[in-house]
Amino acid sequence: QVQLVESGGGLVQAGGSLRLTCAASGGTFGSYAMGWFRQAPGKEHDSVAVINWSGFTTYYADSVKGRFTVSRDNAKEMVYLQMTNLKPEDTGVYYCAAGMTEAQAMGVIPPDYWGQGTQVTVSS
C-alpha cells in the first residue's frame, strides 16, 4: 500500500506563488508515474500536471502551462508542484496521485493511489 500526503497549500493573492509537496511512503516510489489534480468547487477532478517515473517526461494542462512546474525527487520520495503567477481560477483542492502508467497519472485510467488533498485559494 502507498500513502500520499500533500502539503503546501494556502491562501495567496493573484500573481503569487506556492509550492505543493506530495510525500509518499509504503511503496516503490520510483516505479510510479505521478500526477497532480485539482478539484474546483462543484467540479470533478481535472489533471493539472504529470511526471513519469524518472522525471524525464512531463505534461501540463493548457490552463497552467508556463506557470506550473512539476518535479520529483525519487530518493526523497517526493513530488512537487511549483505554481507561479496564480490566478483565482486556480483555486481548488489539489491532489497528488500515483499509477504505474502515465495514463493513470493523468486520470485517463483511474490512478492506483490518491492523497487527501491540500486546499489552494487564490484571491483577486
Side-chain angles (χ1 to χ4, degrees), residues 1-83:
Q1 297 289 337
V2 173
Q3 182 180 7
L4 305 174
V5 180
E6 302 94 338
S7 62
L11 300 168
V12 297
Q13 292 186 344
S17 300
L18 285 172
R19 188 177 78 159
L20 305 184
T21 297
C22 177
S25 63
T28 306
F29 180 77
S31 297
Y32 293 99
M34 301 294 296
W36 284 98
F37 297 79
R38 72 180 171 207
Q39 186 175 32
K43 296 184 178 180
E44 299 291 333
H45 296 81
D46 291 325
S47 176
V48 174
V50 174
I51 188 165
N52 81 331
W53 70 270
S54 68
F56 185 75
T57 302
T58 58
Y59 303 92
Y60 298 95
D62 288 343
S63 61
V64 307
K65 193 171 185 179
R67 299 188 296 119
F68 291 10
T69 302
V70 63
S71 60
R72 69 190 296 163
D73 186 334
N74 287 348
K76 297 182 181 296
E77 297 188 320
M78 298 280 193
V79 62
Y80 310 97
L81 185 67
Q82 179 66 51
M83 306 184 293

Side-chain angles (χ1 to χ4, degrees), residues 2 4 32-35 37 96-101 104-105 110-115:
V2 173
L4 305 174
Y32 293 99
M34 301 294 296
F37 297 79
C96 65
M100 293 299 295
T101 68
Q104 289 180 285
D112 291 315
Y113 304 99
W114 289 91

